[in-house]
Amino acid sequence: MTSGLFISFEGIDGAGKSTHLEALAQAFRAAGRAVVLTREPGGTPLAEQLRALALSAPMDPLTEALLMFAARRDHLQQVIEPALARGDVVLCDRFTDATFAYQGAGRGFDLGVLGQLERWVQAVDALPAGQLRQPQLTLWFELDPEAAARRLAGARAPDRFESQPAAFFRRVADGYERRAQADAQRFARIDGSQPREAVWQQVLAAVQGRGWLS
Ligand code: TMP
């Protein structure tokens, strides 16, 4: 049986990742793979409810972090783990790196607590004790926060994160940088300032480079 593949897409709001999720799904489907296209927070009925709350209701940083990880646990149990067990390709719009970047670096929340939550939530039955479910590849879309804000301007009513100032997104970008440095093999940097086709070529190259698409 083909083994499952877990790929996450990350970056600050407006970095342009979402356009390429669907294209990568199509590329895998064309290669005969079953694809699950999903997102965080969200991806299950419960997690989508938690998403709606996390993106709109005022709350303290611990509550926010707990909601993100509660949504993640349900998503893992209901969607990601079953899909990987079937041998599907899971393309996930954000995963735990976003929590370290947004709640950790952006909000300044305790990274040790986030690490503990990560260890609880991402310990899954399919893996030996001590091993955590993580994406095999994280496509990290890098874009200057000012350029990202220009892209988002007027697109839709901003949520609790999108309405943050550029300084917040600068910290979020630094948070991604630290996660990337700590796990360099897993991360592929995508230069999001390039024209769309050039960005797509970078996405494809990262996946092809790992031998997952020809
Ligand atoms: P999206 O707009 O890319 O779907 O993401 C929703 C927002 O949620 C985005 O602003 C980033 C934020 N977020 C966190 O703050 N922490 C997390 O763990 C995740 C997954 C998303």
Side-chain angles (χ1 to χ4, degrees):
M1 199 181 114
T2 326
S3 29
L5 260 186
F6 183 18
I7 301 176
S8 63
F9 285 57
E10 297 283 0
I12 61 172
D13 292 87
K17 62 189 163 49
S18 302
T19 11
H20 299 285
L21 269 156
E22 185 56 47
L24 190 58
Q26 288 302 339
F28 273 113
R29 287 188 187 117
R33 299 291 302 256
V35 177
V36 173
L37 197 54
T38 188
R39 69 172 180 181
E40 290 215 346
T44 71
L46 172 61
E48 288 292 331
Q49 288 186 44
L50 297 177
R51 175 191 177 93
L53 292 170
L55 268 52
S56 63
M59 64 189 72
D60 85 301
L62 174 58
T63 309
E64 191 176 284
L66 290 171
L67 284 187
M68 295 299 175
F69 274 109
R72 181 159 303 131
R73 180 69 186 180
D74 193 54
H75 190 209
L76 275 166
Q77 298 289 73
Q78 307 293 332
V79 173
I80 297 176
E81 289 300 309
L84 294 176
R86 289 192 302 269
D88 293 359
V89 176
V90 177
L91 301 182
C92 193
D93 193 346
R94 301 190 184 282
F95 196 64
T96 301
D97 299 310
T99 316
F100 279 84
Y102 279 78
Q103 280 64 54
R107 301 274 197 231
F109 186 68
D110 191 320
L111 297 178
V113 174
L114 296 183
Q116 180 59 62
L117 291 168
E118 181 183 35
R119 286 190 290 279
W120 281 334
V121 166
Q122 290 161 236
V124 293
D125 290 344
L127 295 175
Q131 226 172 293
L132 302 181
R133 177 65 70 203
Q134 298 285 9
Q136 284 137 285
L137 169 66
T138 295
L139 297 163
W140 174 29
F141 291 72
E142 284 194 285
L143 185 64
D144 174 66
E146 265 86 26
R150 279 196 297 279
R151 281 191 189 171
L152 281 181
R156 57 169 187 243
D159 62 34
R160 281 181 66 235
F161 297 103
E162 290 163 348
S163 56
Q164 292 292 318
F168 175 85
F169 287 106
R170 230 169 261 297
R171 292 196 298 278
V172 171
D174 290 346
Y176 276 124
E177 180 73 53
R178 283 193 289 277
R179 287 286 280 186
Q181 280 174 9
D183 200 354
Q185 301 274 46
R186 174 165 67 84
F187 275 77
R189 284 171 194 262
I190 307 294
D191 177 0
S193 69
Q194 303 272 312
R196 184 178 296 194
E197 181 54 31
V199 174
W200 169 241
Q201 289 307 323
Q202 295 176 61
V203 169
L204 209 48
V207 176
Q208 287 172 335
R210 282 161 175 81
W212 297 331
L213 277 176
S214 48

